[in-house]
Structure formats: C-alpha cells, structure tokens
Amino acid sequence: MSVQERKQRERAERERLIVATARELAEQQGWDAVTTRRLAERIEYSQPVLYSHFRGKREIIGAVALEGAAEMAAALRAAASNTDSPRSRVTALACAYLDFAERNPAVYDAMFQLDGGLAFAHEDTPEPLKDAFAALLENLGEVAGDGVHPGLFTEVFWAALHGLATLTRAGRLPPGDAERRVELVADRLAIV
C-alpha cells in the first residue's frame, strides 16, 4: 500500500468516525448537542481536523442523511422481498418506513427535517436519496392504478408515511391506533 493510499484510507476512517459520532450524539441528546467542539472532543481530534473533512454541522447532517438513506433503502427492499401480494408489500413498506423513523429519530430528522445541504427531486440529488425513493417506487408501481404516474403515486405514499411518522413522534396521534393506520394505508393504496 502506498503512502497516498494509506492517507486516503485514514481520511475515510476519520470521516466515518465523525459521522458515527455525530449520529450517536444526536440520537442520545438531539441535534442541538452536536457541535464541532463536542465532536472534536469525542473523537479526540482538533476542530481544524474536523473542518478539514466537513465545513460545518450542515455538511455533517448531510453525511448522516446520506448514510440513513442508504440504510432506509436496504430496509425497504428487505421488507418488500418477504411479501407475496401487492397489499402485503404496501403494508411491509409502510411498516419498514415507520419502524426506521421510530428507531432512528435523529437520522430521520437529518434526512427530512434538517438542512443538510442536500437537493431533493433534482438532477443533482445524491444517489443515496434517489435510491431510497427508488426502493419505494420499484415496489409500488403495480399498485399505482391505471392512469396514475407511479412516481406521483410514490410521492403521495411517502408523504402519507412521513406525516404518520412525524405526527406520531410529536405525540399528535394516539399511539394505540398505529397498526390500524398502516392497515388503512395498505387497504386504500393496494387496490390491485
């Protein structure tokens, strides 16, 4: 291994450490607790080293969002692969999405609530974000219905799940009806 390869590997390891530490801190104490000073202390590097990887908290949030999007895409695909009907696929996708949001609230916030400097629904949208949407789209096309654009249908499905995740987490919906909400989404959307 050349010196340059070793330095690149070490740089990538430091970036992973910064992102993992930010994510851990955010999940434990919220994103307000994630500061460059705190991160530098926790990873035992100076703030200038941290800034050599990320220009600030916004870029760190973006990195966490991209990591989370990849994880969400994998979870959605895994859930859909274990189904045998359109209705069960819609139910599995909804459950996997809502479970991800519940288990990873800080990551979910980085993906959809906070400014991580990432473009959505544009040509320059980063691949992990596109792939998370594709994980829904590729499993919902058959239930969109005649004359309904699958991408538009997927956006509405995603919006419904995001609303459920956000309202549930904020305590705006009674917790006892979570399963019935998923069933209702699946019944109304899996018309095939």
Side-chain angles (χ1 to χ4, degrees), residues 44-119:
E44 298 179 345
Y45 284 102
S46 67
Q47 282 183 293
V49 169
L50 194 129
Y51 281 117
S52 74
H53 291 275
F54 298 98
R55 285 183 283 195
K57 184 174 176 176
R58 181 178 187 220
E59 283 189 6
I60 294 168
I61 290 169
V64 169
L66 293 176
E67 188 175 271
E71 292 171 11
M72 177 181 273
L76 293 170
R77 287 191 175 101
S81 71
N82 295 320
T83 62
D84 58 359
S85 71
R87 185 190 187 285
S88 65
R89 193 164 13 271
V90 171
T91 301
L93 288 169
C95 289
Y97 184 99
L98 295 171
D99 183 60
F100 181 89
E102 182 180 347
R103 284 183 302 105
N104 304 284
V107 173
Y108 190 83
D109 284 350
M111 292 168 65
F112 301 119
Q113 303 287 95
L114 301 174
D115 179 11
L118 305 174

Side-chain angles (χ1 to χ4, degrees), residues 1-10:
M1 175 184 313
S2 73
V3 173
Q4 185 171 349
E5 289 173 330
R6 181 182 54 78
K7 286 183 179 186
Q8 287 174 339
R9 189 187 76 233
E10 289 171 354

